[in-house]
């Protein structure tokens, strides 16, 4: 069976990180599993985790004032979910819900923030990668909004 420390260097988010950094980050991680319909987190709650999806699918949703939640993006195997653990005030901006059986690696946000504070070089490397995730999510949300609201009048 492959350990978290063995898996991380193969994951695109962690590719190229020095081995000591991967080991440091792996020390903040555990394997988790979600059933279809189970939430990883809810908008407004404390953001204390981020996830690397190993298998399955997760929808990122925004609560609509009336009706069903609006899906703004989805994450699949090898995607990263959650960046609010790094950005004060550390509150989730979306809901995340497994839409099928999902296995992931969950990283303790407080543990990672402590390691980033202790070693700013580690913090900078993680911040660079998290910003990439943020950019991808914002672009995806933009495209979905154009699909919903961009129809010519």
């Amino acid at each position: 069976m492959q350990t978290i420390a063995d898996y991380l260097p193969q994951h695109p988010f962690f590719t190229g990180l020095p081995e000591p950094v991967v080991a440091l980050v792996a020390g903040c991680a555990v394997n988790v599993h979600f059933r279809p319909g189970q939430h990883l987190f809810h908008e407004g709650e404390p953001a204390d985790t981020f996830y690397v999806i190993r298998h399955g699918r997760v929808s990122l949703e925004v609560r609509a004032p009336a009706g069903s939640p609006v899906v703004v993006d989805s994450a699949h195997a090898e995607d990263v979910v959650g960046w609010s653990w790094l950005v004060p005030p550390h509150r989730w901006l979306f809901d995340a819900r497994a839409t099928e059986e999902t296995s992931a690696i969950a990283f303790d946000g407080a543990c990672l923030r402590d390691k980033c504070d202790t070693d700013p070089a580690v913090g900078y490397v993680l911040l660079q990668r998290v910003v990439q995730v943020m950019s991808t999510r914002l672009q995806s949300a933009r495209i979905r909004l154009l699909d919903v609201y961009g129809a010519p009048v």
Side-chain angles (χ1 to χ4, degrees):
M1 182 168 179
Q2 190 179 44
T3 67
I4 292 172
D6 293 334
Y7 174 78
L8 292 183
Q10 303 166 23
H11 190 276
F13 186 84
F14 299 97
T15 298
L17 284 179
E19 189 176 319
V21 173
V22 173
L24 193 71
V25 170
C28 294
V30 296
N31 286 304
V32 294
H33 185 80
F34 300 95
R35 295 177 312 281
Q38 187 176 0
H39 280 85
L40 285 69
F41 51 82
H42 293 279
E43 178 182 346
E45 291 181 346
D48 53 7
T49 311
F50 96 95
Y51 301 89
V52 169
I53 307 302
R54 293 186 80 166
H55 306 284
R57 182 181 175 122
V58 173
S59 68
L60 298 169
E61 304 167 344
V62 176
R63 295 181 200 158
S68 301
V70 176
V71 176
V72 294
D73 202 1
S74 60
H76 313 273
E78 296 201 351
D79 285 338
V80 173
V81 175
W83 45 266
S84 297
W85 65 273
L86 187 58
V87 181
H90 309 294
R91 297 270 176 203
W92 294 117
L93 300 175
F94 303 100
D95 288 349
R97 181 179 50 85
T99 56
E100 59 188 53
E101 292 288 328
T102 300
S103 296
I105 299 171
F107 294 84
D108 181 295
C111 176
L112 287 175
R113 286 191 304 269
D114 183 54
K115 292 183 186 304
C116 291
D117 290 343
T118 301
D119 187 342
V122 170
Y124 181 69
V125 169
L126 288 178
L127 181 62
Q128 286 178 307
R129 290 161 192 249
V130 169
V131 167
Q132 289 289 329
V133 172
M134 293 168 72
S135 176
T136 300
R137 293 279 179 249
L138 289 171
Q139 182 65 6
S140 179
R142 178 181 172 271
I143 289 168
R144 289 202 187 228
L145 286 171
L146 288 173
D147 285 345
V148 172
Y149 297 108
V153 179

